[in-house]
Amino acid sequence: MASLLRIHALATNTFREAIRNKLLYTLLGFSFLMIASGVLLATLSYVEVDEILQDMGMSAIRFFSAGIATFVGIGLIHNEVDRRTIFTILSKPVSRTEFLLGKWAGLTFTVWLQLALMGIAFAIVSALAGAPLVSDHFLAIALIGLELMVLVAIATLFSAFTSPMLAALFTIGLWMIGHLTRDLHALAQQSDLESVGLVGSWVFQLLPDFEVFNKTLEAVHGLPIERGEVGLAVAYAIGYTGCTLLLGSMIFSRRDFK
Amino acid sequence: MSSKAFQILAMLGFVFLTGWAHARVPLETRADRGEDFVPAPAAVDAASLGFDALLADYYWLQAVQVAGSQQAVDERVARHLGRLVDVVTTLNPHVGHPYRFAAVWMTHSRAQVLEANRLLERAIAFHPDDWRNHFYLGFNHFYYLGNYPAAADALEAAMDLEGSPGYLPRLVARLKSQTGDIEVAEVFLRQMLAGTDDPQERVKYETGLDEIEIEHKARFLDRARAAYRALTGRDIERVEDLVTGPHRVIEQLPDPEPEAIPAPLRRGSVWQIEDDRIVSSYLGARYEVHYSHYGGQEGALFGEETNRPEASAPEDDVREHAEGEGA
């Protein structure tokens, strides 16, 4: 219980720190602009206007929220080390694992908050343009929230042992790979060599599969989002986040700050 | 050489290099130069990073701009549009209209029609309840490939779907009885016209309907000609013989141009006899069931699996109708 309170305190502090980051507001501003610009883009087509508007909005939400998660997340621990505040924190009865979890929870809450703001902007633009809005749109946005939770965990992992620049490269790289793993897996399964298929399966299990959380196409085109798939996505997000944070904690515990 | 002089010389060198290179960079894009670059659908799909729908929209808007910027969609442009729609529907197979958009334009060769049919079959796989995709597939089989059984099968699949027109069973019956003629083509074209708001598509279908209207009139004159022969024992020398002299068989010649053409756009066309057939100089050829201005082939444009029977001779029509329509 005491541990949870310490994590909560660290998360609150991280949230306060994150919302003072000007980069967050810049990306948020651009996302609003992109969501609204869907109205203009949609007018270029004489059919599928609502779909184009909402595709644009959903893509802007996914792209900018991933950007915020990555670029705000990678500096979390480095800033503490750089300003030497980490020594003050760790000199108190706070474990390194609690510190890492607090950082992750604070940033996850921050990106969820900005995701909610983007979702509201999306809903307002859709409503003003007369595009249909159903519960599946919000379910798709909630699934983006799960993707961000995993992405923040990955950013936290890399920021635990490397520089912000490298952490950004690794996190962006994994985010991109995370959207390609299904194709890579399918490609490996087509090989005549059994070993290639086997390695492909292992890599597929090891690397994140962010397409699990991508239900924007279904939401925009009014296709049903299976609730069972949503449940599995939640389980996958919790599992992958747990593994990543555990690994991050193990590495961070051995890190020498001298 | 002093370091300052070297810097100035280097600066001049770079300025010259930049200016030289920039002056040679083509200002037009590859598409502007007619290269019509469209990446492979599978490559775009793999590189989309989950933004499939957004990229599909991008390529769809490109297709709309390409079609909208043309005076007439020729074979090259139609091929380009087909590739764009293939990318769009690979990235997002749940789109609706792009499949039919491709089918409308990809009509310049047998290969294009078959490609359009492949896209329509993908549309049917993802929208099995939308009768329009079946209808467009049937239209392609009938109008361009002359494959009546395939056309009948496609329309039969559309018959029971919600929103399908009530005349489809009759159309299927006609196709199954191998009696596809201009009436069938007319029904198809009217439905295609009713189903589109695109100005260029409308022009295409209206042109087809205009040709059918003139063919109806030409067939009327064929029947009058047969009646003239029956009455006088000889053939007409000029089309005007049908309305002049002691053996005239009709009151007046029908308008050789479509009724809908406004007066300022009329060309002063006339009826004439060419290769022993009565034709309007407005078209210069008879409508031969399918889209005649693609070279005027009889029967299917690109068909090789045609099951269409031999076209009935105009004289046969006359025997059926000569007594009824002014002859």
Side-chain angles (χ1 to χ4, degrees):
Chain A
M1 189 64 195
S3 178
L4 277 179
L5 285 175
R6 287 194 290 275
I7 292 170
H8 178 260
L10 280 161
T12 310
N13 195 47
T14 305
F15 172 70
R16 284 196 194 117
E17 192 187 339
I19 58 168
R20 283 200 293 265
N21 194 326
K22 286 186 181 124
L23 181 67
L24 187 140
Y25 294 102
T26 311
L27 291 174
L28 202 58
F30 269 113
S31 73
F32 290 155
L33 206 65
M34 290 290 281
I35 291 166
S37 70
V39 178
L40 288 176
L41 197 72
T43 57
L44 294 176
S45 176
Y46 61 99
V47 286
E48 318 253 338
V49 174
D50 294 340
E51 285 83 357
I52 292 175
L53 168 87
Q54 295 192 335
D55 281 340
M56 184 77 180
M58 284 287 190
S59 298
I61 290 174
R62 282 186 55 227
F63 183 78
F64 286 101
S65 52
I68 292 171
T70 304
F71 290 105
V72 179
I74 52 165
L76 280 180
I77 295 172
H78 182 265
N79 291 343
E80 300 282 4
V81 177
D82 202 36
R83 293 193 303 246
R84 305 274 168 193
T85 45
I86 194 164
F87 298 110
T88 318
I89 297 167
L90 293 180
S91 64
K92 295 194 164 90
V94 174
S95 73
R96 289 191 180 198
T97 301
E98 287 168 351
F99 175 79
L100 205 73
L101 285 176
K103 286 285 171 192
W104 167 79
L107 185 59
T108 299
F109 185 70
T110 310
V111 292
W112 279 355
L113 184 69
Q114 56 82 28
L115 181 68
L117 291 174
M118 288 183 197
I120 291 167
F122 173 82
I124 290 171
V125 170
S126 292
L128 290 177
L133 262 182
V134 292
S135 60
D136 277 359
H137 285 102
F138 299 103
L139 193 57
I141 293 174
L143 284 169
I144 296 173
L146 290 178
E147 177 178 340
L148 296 178
M149 182 175 95
V150 179
L151 192 64
V152 170
I154 291 170
T156 310
L157 163 72
F158 288 124
S159 77
F161 66 90
T162 186
S163 67
M165 178 66 83
L166 286 177
L169 283 174
F170 293 153
T171 308
I172 292 168
L174 265 187
W175 180 73
M176 288 169 78
I177 290 169
H179 284 288
L180 284 172
T181 41
R182 289 186 178 194
D183 293 323
L184 296 174
H185 180 248
L187 207 65
Q189 300 314 309
Q190 284 171 11
S191 171
D192 292 336
L193 293 171
E194 199 181 331
S195 56
V196 174
L198 204 62
V199 170
S201 293
W202 288 344
V203 170
F204 182 57
Q205 298 299 326
L206 188 69
L207 293 172
D209 176 16
F210 286 131
E211 284 298 300
V212 167
F213 312 112
N214 187 5
K215 296 290 173 198
T216 54
L217 202 141
E218 283 84 348
V220 169
H221 287 271
L223 303 167
I225 299 176
E226 298 292 332
R227 296 305 185 259
E229 280 186 42
V230 175
L232 289 173
V234 172
Y236 181 77
I238 293 170
Y240 207 92
T241 303
C243 290
T244 310
L245 289 176
L246 201 63
L247 184 66
S249 161
M250 284 156 67
I251 295 170
F252 192 59
S253 301
R254 285 164 179 73
R255 188 169 167 188
D256 189 356
F257 293 110
K258 283 178 191 170
Chain B
M1 188 187 288
S2 72
S3 130
K4 194 160 189 176
F6 178 76
Q7 281 178 353
I8 291 169
L9 268 178
M11 176 59 85
L12 285 173
F14 286 130
V15 167
F16 174 77
L17 181 68
T18 309
W20 178 84
H22 195 219
R24 278 156 186 77
V25 171
L27 297 178
E28 293 173 319
T29 63
R30 289 177 71 172
D32 292 335
R33 294 199 300 274
E35 292 174 24
D36 306 335
F37 175 72
V38 181
V44 188
D45 193 26
S48 64
L49 298 176
F51 293 95
D52 323 44
L54 187 69
L55 278 172
D57 293 340
Y58 167 74
Y59 284 106
W60 165 242
L61 292 178
Q62 256 197 24
V64 171
Q65 302 307 314
V66 167
S69 63
Q70 306 293 321
Q71 287 290 329
V73 174
D74 60 20
E75 186 167 3
R76 182 187 64 80
V77 176
R79 193 169 55 243
H80 186 201
L81 289 174
R83 285 199 203 123
L84 286 168
V85 171
D86 195 14
V87 173
V88 170
T89 55
T90 301
L91 288 168
N92 183 0
H94 302 289
V95 292
H97 186 76
Y99 293 105
R100 298 187 290 278
F101 174 87
V104 165
W105 298 120
M106 296 175 70
T107 58
H108 293 80
S109 67
R110 176 180 162 76
Q112 278 195 1
V113 175
L114 291 177
E115 174 63 9
N117 285 1
R118 186 180 69 83
L119 293 172
L120 286 170
E121 276 156 12
R122 186 186 289 168
I124 289 167
F126 282 92
H127 303 279
D129 298 333
D130 192 334
W131 67 272
R132 291 170 298 179
N133 299 319
H134 296 278
F135 187 88
Y136 275 63
L137 186 64
F139 176 74
N140 273 2
H141 279 304
F142 164 75
Y143 203 62
Y144 296 112
L145 302 175
N147 189 344
Y148 288 17
D153 287 347
L155 294 189
E156 207 163 17
M159 263 168 24
D160 299 328
L161 297 177
E162 195 183 334
S164 67
Y167 58 74
L168 282 189
R170 291 196 300 280
L171 207 56
V172 170
R174 289 198 70 165
L175 286 167
K176 282 195 166 175
S177 64
Q178 308 282 301
T179 54
D181 199 353
I182 55 170
E183 286 81 9
V184 179
E186 189 174 356
V187 172
F188 267 117
L189 286 169
R190 288 205 185 284
Q191 181 57 50
M192 304 288 267
L193 185 64
T196 182
D197 293 324
D198 184 87
Q200 284 201 40
E201 285 180 37
R202 293 188 69 83
V203 167
K204 185 174 172 178
Y205 299 136
E206 280 164 356
T207 305
L209 287 168
D210 286 348
E211 288 180 347
I212 286 175
E213 180 193 328
I214 292 171
E215 177 60 20
H216 275 303
K217 292 171 182 172
R219 288 186 181 189
F220 168 69
L221 291 178
D222 285 339
R223 292 191 291 274
R225 186 183 182 180
Y228 183 93
R229 272 202 295 258
L231 188 67
T232 64
R234 59 188 169 83
D235 199 5
I236 54 169
E237 291 174 9
R238 305 170 304 132
V239 180
E240 285 74 20
D241 290 347
L242 297 170
V243 290
T244 55
H247 303 298
R248 71 167 193 261
V249 288
I250 52 176
E251 288 295 320
Q252 60 177 34
L253 294 175
D255 187 347
E257 297 190 5
E259 307 284 346
I261 298 278
L265 295 179
R266 290 194 165 262
R267 305 177 193 165
S269 309
V270 292
W271 291 105
Q272 56 200 22
I273 299 174
E274 273 184 18
D275 298 331
D276 203 35
R277 300 193 77 185
I278 296 174
V279 298
S280 161
S281 62
Y282 181 81
L283 289 179
R286 288 293 290 268
Y287 186 83
E288 305 301 358
V289 179
H290 297 277
Y291 222 41
S292 59
H293 64 234
Y294 281 116
Q297 303 101 312
E298 183 165 355
L301 279 173
F302 318 114
E304 57 185 28
E305 302 163 42
T306 308
N307 291 298
R308 199 170 59 85
E310 290 298 313
S312 59
E315 285 76 11
D316 295 339
D317 286 343
V318 172
R319 286 192 201 103
E320 289 175 30
H321 304 289
E323 291 175 11
E325 294 185 41

